[in-house]
Amino acid sequence: MTTTDMPRPLDADAKQPVSGKRPRHAGTRGLRRAVPATTLLWILACLYGLPVLWFVLSSLKPSSDLFSYPLTLVPHNPTLSGFKAAWDSANFSQYFINTAIVCVITTILTVGVSCCTGYALAKYDNRWLKVFFICILATTMLPSEVMLAPEFLVVRNLGLYNSFAGIILPAVLTATGCFMFRQFFLTVPDELVEAARIDGARELSIFLRIMVPLSRPIMLTLAILSFQWRWNDYIWPLLMLNDPSKFTVQIGIQSIVGAQNINWSVLLGASVISMIPLIAIFLVFQRYVMGADINAGLKD
């Protein structure tokens, strides 16, 4: 037998069987780490959810049971009389239409303007753009009450008082939206934009065909936030509108509150009614936000 015909010894590593099972202590260690975090999240969820649950269940109580002692969480005699009285006492159908018009138009304009502004601030190197971005961020340091008087004077002088345009236009540009899009576009590689320019794409084409599709998760997130902000807005529509046919939902809820006494059952019912569109929108669009690939085409 020649040396080439002799059997070769197996390596030590080859003799050891390969096991696809994870060590038992690894799973135990991961479970031990997850228990405190999960427990803390459940505690926070209960702390935040209990007032909301109390609020919703209290809307099902008659007026005589709201302040009965001892206080109870679950209504003994649930009723929908508060919802019916709230719907009959105010023109909620008109309020919903007015608020929907304001929210939809404002949300579309806010997302579009914020997307354009964020792209310019992130992808164009200009000293004045940086100064402009600092000025935008500076507006977040001012209380909204400080800006009410000058905004009111500007809108009034433009002839937009007591109109939906007077509510929509001041709310279009938000520092939060510009900051969200700028931070997102900064993570997009500059090489992607340069490659498109080398291929002959124009700036508008790069923005519409590359940047806008990539920023879809941010657009949906900002759209949900903007819609919620405008739906819950109370102070600015109260200052701008004096025609009851143009009132929004929040002003409509305030209009059913009496000057001397408050019918809490009606007020709670109206408040729950105003929450239904926001809950529905969140349930419909949350899966698009949670399921979207935010890191598509981004830097490692």
Side-chain angles (χ1 to χ4, degrees):
M1 179 182 294
T2 61
T3 56
T4 57
D5 296 333
M6 295 180 62
R8 296 166 55 185
L10 296 176
D11 295 337
D13 295 338
K15 295 179 180 179
Q16 297 180 358
V18 179
S19 176
K21 296 182 180 180
R22 296 177 59 186
R24 184 177 301 177
H25 59 83
T28 305
R29 190 184 305 116
L31 181 62
R32 193 182 302 116
R33 293 178 179 176
V35 168
T38 305
T39 304
L40 178 61
L41 290 177
W42 275 106
I43 294 174
L44 292 176
C46 293
L47 291 177
Y48 280 95
L50 182 60
V52 178
L53 180 62
W54 193 298
F55 165 70
V56 174
L57 293 179
S58 296
S59 65
L60 300 175
K61 297 179 181 179
S63 302
S64 57
D65 294 344
L66 286 175
F67 301 101
S68 61
Y69 187 82
L71 297 176
T72 58
L73 178 63
V74 181
H76 297 295
N77 300 311
T79 177
L80 298 177
S81 60
F83 294 91
K84 186 177 183 303
W87 189 268
D88 295 338
S89 61
N91 190 6
F92 266 97
S93 58
Q94 185 63 42
Y95 297 157
F96 276 128
I97 294 174
N98 297 340
T99 312
I101 293 174
V102 172
C103 292
V104 171
I105 297 177
T106 305
T107 298
I108 294 174
L109 294 178
T110 299
V111 172
V113 172
S114 300
C115 186
C116 297
T117 306
Y119 175 71
L121 294 174
K123 293 304 178 184
Y124 291 97
D125 188 12
N126 187 286
R127 179 179 61 184
W128 296 110
L129 284 177
K130 297 179 181 179
V131 174
F132 180 62
F133 178 62
I134 294 175
C135 294
I136 292 177
L137 290 183
T139 60
T140 61
M141 305 176 189
L142 296 174
S144 58
E145 292 79 6
V146 175
M147 304 175 64
L148 287 178
E151 286 183 356
F152 178 81
L153 293 176
V154 171
V155 172
R156 187 196 61 180
N157 294 336
L158 291 176
L160 301 178
Y161 179 73
N162 195 28
S163 65
F164 291 151
I167 303 176
I168 294 172
L169 292 180
V172 168
L173 184 61
T174 62
T176 303
C178 296
F179 181 78
M180 289 173 59
F181 277 100
R182 177 185 180 273
Q183 296 305 113
F184 176 81
F185 287 132
L186 284 176
T187 61
V188 178
D190 294 335
E191 292 80 4
L192 187 65
V193 179
E194 294 298 331
R197 290 171 179 168
I198 293 174
D199 290 339
R202 297 183 178 181
E203 295 298 321
L204 184 60
S205 179
I206 295 174
F207 175 72
L208 295 178
R209 296 186 178 183
I210 298 177
M211 294 301 174
V212 171
L214 286 177
S215 63
R216 190 178 303 169
I218 306 299
M219 296 174 69
L220 291 173
T221 303
L222 181 60
I224 294 175
L225 293 176
S226 177
F227 193 94
Q228 179 185 358
W229 295 336
R230 302 288 76 81
W231 188 275
N232 293 326
D233 195 5
Y234 170 71
I235 297 296
W236 185 246
L238 182 64
L239 293 176
M240 290 303 303
L241 302 176
N242 59 9
D243 186 359
S245 63
K246 297 180 181 179
F247 281 175
T248 57
V249 169
Q250 303 305 325
I251 305 178
I253 294 176
Q254 186 272 340
S255 64
I256 67 177
V257 178
Q260 301 297 331
N261 56 359
I262 301 176
N263 191 336
W264 289 102
S265 179
V266 177
L267 182 60
L268 290 174
S271 301
V272 173
I273 292 174
S274 68
M275 292 170 52
I276 294 176
L278 292 179
I279 297 175
I281 289 176
F282 177 77
L283 293 177
V284 170
F285 289 102
Q286 70 162 344
R287 64 189 184 94
Y288 295 102
V289 177
M290 303 301 295
D293 187 8
I294 299 180
N295 296 321
L298 306 186
K299 294 179 180 178
D300 295 333

